[in-house]
């Protein structure tokens, strides 16, 4: 291995003096096309409930959700990830499988007004169960195989409503293959699956649980979400999901798991999504509100770091703001 020339023959600052050159040689590119905006849909009409722990985000009734989608499209954000807050819940989340469930109705309404909006539906039960866990409870814990039945039915129902992609976030073993089979049997073989493949049992989800009313009523989710100490396990999870038919794999959260994003991209070279989660978003907003940081600058630095780690898709509550920065609006 030959040694590279050292100073003064080599001056790395030569390529930093001009903004034009800096842009020419930049190794990482961030585009509006990389962004997905999560949205929360709730019952009612003309409802816009601010989520206090997530400034600038709201629980939206279907009519207001459609309006929000129009605003996002104007900013260049072409995709949303939907979470539902139903009028009523049940023990196993079957309310999420109904033809006129909250997300199903939202999908139809968005597509009627903005057919160009690409809609991803989160597939999970935590928002729809009375106990707040991600599946059917048997002997005090989530039963893996019974939960698969509900998840597959939810995916098929949302596909019938017109969703463009399904995204199982439950972390049940085998759910991608089970869901793929159910979709194919119902003539949705073209429906892509974005699997929450490496979803950690993280402390960064607090604000989301306020937004989606999905906090577990007992215990925690450590028996099905991943241990934050593990990355080899994440590789095994991703490998299984790919083998079962996942088209995109996801790492969640993003910032504390940039190493996992990097490993997944390098080991599998498949499309990778990263979820810049509610706690990560809210920390930036809180620090910005206290004038401790330049919020816009930190936001863009975070987005770039996630892309640099290897993520092709960034799901983030910053999506519209990032788009506005990229488009020179703010």
């Amino acid at each position: 291995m030959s040694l590279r020339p050292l100073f003064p023959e080599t001056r790395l600052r030569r390529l930093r003096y001009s903004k034009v050159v800096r842009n020419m040689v930049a190794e990482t590119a961030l585009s509006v096309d990389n962004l997905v905006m999560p949205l929360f849909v709730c019952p009612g009409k003309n409802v816009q409930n601010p989520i206090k722990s997530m400034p600038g985000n709201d629980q939206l009734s279907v009519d207001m959700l459609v309006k929000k989608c129009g605003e996002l499209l104007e900013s260049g954000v072409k995709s949303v990830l939907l979470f539902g807050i139903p009028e009523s819940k049940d023990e196993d989340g079957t309310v999420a499988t109904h033809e006129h469930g909250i997300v199903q109705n939202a999908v139809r309404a968005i597509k009627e007004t903005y057919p160009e909006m690409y809609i991803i539906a989160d597939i999970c039960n935590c928002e729809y169960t009375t106990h707040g866990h991600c599946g059917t409870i048997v002997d005090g814990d989530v039963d893996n195989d019974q939960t698969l039945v509900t998840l597959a039915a939810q995916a098929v129902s949302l596909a019938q409503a017109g969703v463009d992609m399904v995204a199982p976030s439950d972390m049940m073993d085998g759910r991608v293959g089970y869901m793929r089979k159910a979709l194919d049997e119902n003539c949705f073989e073209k429906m892509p699956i974005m699997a929450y493949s490496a979803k950690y049992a993280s402390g960064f989800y607090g604000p989301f649980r306020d937004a989606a009313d999905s906090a577990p009523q007992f215990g925690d989710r450590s028996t099905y979400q991943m241990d934050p100490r593990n990355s080899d396990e994440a590789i095994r999870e991703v490998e299984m999901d790919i083998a079962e038919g996942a088209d995109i794999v996801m790492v969640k959260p993003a910032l504390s798991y940039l190493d996992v994003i990097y490993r997944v991209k390098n080991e599998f070279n498949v499309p990778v999504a990263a979820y810049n989660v509610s706690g990560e978003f809210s920390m930036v907003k809180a620090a910005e509100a206290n004038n401790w940081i330049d919020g816009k600058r930190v936001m863009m630095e975070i987005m770039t770091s996630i892309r640099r780690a290897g993520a092709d898709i960034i799901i983030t509550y910053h999506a519209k703001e990032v788009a506005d920065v990229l488009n020179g609006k703010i």
Side-chain angles (χ1 to χ4, degrees):
M1 179 179 174
S2 61
L3 293 176
R4 294 182 178 181
L6 301 178
F7 178 87
E9 289 80 7
T10 299
R11 294 177 182 264
L12 295 180
R13 290 184 61 195
R14 289 177 186 139
L15 299 182
R16 299 175 190 159
Y17 288 116
S18 167
K19 182 178 180 180
V20 173
V21 176
R22 289 198 302 272
N23 289 337
M24 283 180 179
V25 301
E27 299 170 17
T28 304
L30 177 65
S31 165
V32 177
D33 291 329
N34 302 123
L35 305 174
V36 176
M37 179 71 179
L39 295 174
F40 301 92
V41 58
C42 66
K45 190 172 182 180
N46 199 34
V47 176
Q48 186 171 353
N49 294 328
I51 303 165
K52 292 181 180 179
S53 57
M54 298 172 64
N57 290 267
D58 307 280
Q59 296 173 337
L60 301 167
S61 55
V62 171
D63 54 324
M64 299 301 287
L65 183 79
V66 172
K67 182 180 177 182
K68 182 69 173 181
C69 286
E71 295 171 1
L72 289 168
L73 285 168
E74 286 182 9
S75 293
V77 178
K78 307 175 188 70
S79 181
V80 294
L81 174 62
L82 297 186
F83 297 92
I85 305 162
E87 283 193 79
S88 61
K89 305 187 180 191
D90 56 36
E91 284 298 299
D92 57 8
T94 54
V95 66
T97 71
H98 295 170
E99 179 183 357
H100 294 289
I102 186 70
V103 176
Q104 286 84 343
N105 287 341
V107 170
R108 284 187 286 266
I110 294 169
K111 286 297 185 181
E112 184 177 353
T113 306
Y114 299 112
E116 68 272 34
M117 177 60 83
Y118 194 88
I119 305 174
I120 306 169
D122 178 82
I123 306 295
C124 196
N125 292 327
C126 59
E127 304 107 294
Y128 304 100
T129 54
T130 52
H131 45 74
H133 279 283
C134 296
T136 302
I137 300 296
V138 176
D139 296 330
D141 194 17
V142 174
D143 184 272
N144 192 93
D145 295 7
Q146 288 190 45
T147 299
L148 299 184
V149 177
T150 312
L151 295 171
Q154 186 184 157
V156 170
S157 176
L158 285 159
Q160 291 168 340
V163 76
D164 297 296
M165 181 186 288
V166 292
S169 63
D170 54 284
M171 288 299 288
M172 297 298 112
D173 290 334
R175 89 272 203 213
V176 173
Y178 204 96
M179 194 173 296
R180 181 75 274 161
K181 184 174 185 289
L183 289 167
D184 291 355
E185 288 176 346
N186 285 274
C187 301
F188 293 108
E189 64 278 355
K190 294 181 181 179
M191 175 69 60
I193 296 175
M194 177 170 66
Y196 288 64
S197 298
K199 180 179 180 181
Y200 284 85
S202 171
F204 285 100
Y205 302 148
F208 174 90
R209 291 172 182 172
D210 292 339
D213 188 24
S214 63
Q217 298 302 302
F218 63 89
D220 57 32
R221 294 174 176 153
S222 58
T223 66
Y224 46 101
Q225 293 179 357
M226 280 188 55
D227 189 322
R229 295 171 292 184
N230 297 348
S231 65
D232 288 343
E233 183 186 8
I235 299 304
R236 294 178 66 194
E237 288 277 10
V238 169
E239 187 173 23
M240 287 180 63
D241 284 356
I242 293 170
E244 291 177 20
D247 302 284
I248 301 170
V249 295
M250 186 197 301
V251 177
K252 178 183 180 183
L255 288 183
S256 289
Y257 303 91
L258 294 174
D259 61 318
V260 179
I261 297 170
Y262 181 82
R263 284 193 65 184
V264 168
K265 189 63 176 179
N266 277 271
E267 296 202 25
F268 298 104
N269 195 28
V270 297
V272 176
Y275 201 140
N276 176 221
V277 300
S278 59
E280 297 168 340
F281 168 86
S282 296
M283 288 192 303
V284 172
K285 288 299 179 183
E288 180 183 35
N290 282 282
N291 294 314
W292 294 337
I293 61 170
D294 180 335
K296 182 173 77 172
R297 182 177 178 182
V298 168
M299 173 183 74
M300 297 305 291
E301 189 173 341
I302 288 170
M303 296 301 112
T304 302
S305 74
I306 297 170
R307 282 284 287 142
R308 191 178 65 244
D312 305 286
I313 298 166
I314 303 175
I315 302 163
T316 177
Y317 302 95
H318 291 291
K320 187 177 183 303
E321 292 174 272
V322 173
D324 287 343
V325 171
L326 294 171
N327 293 328
K329 293 183 179 180
I330 60 174

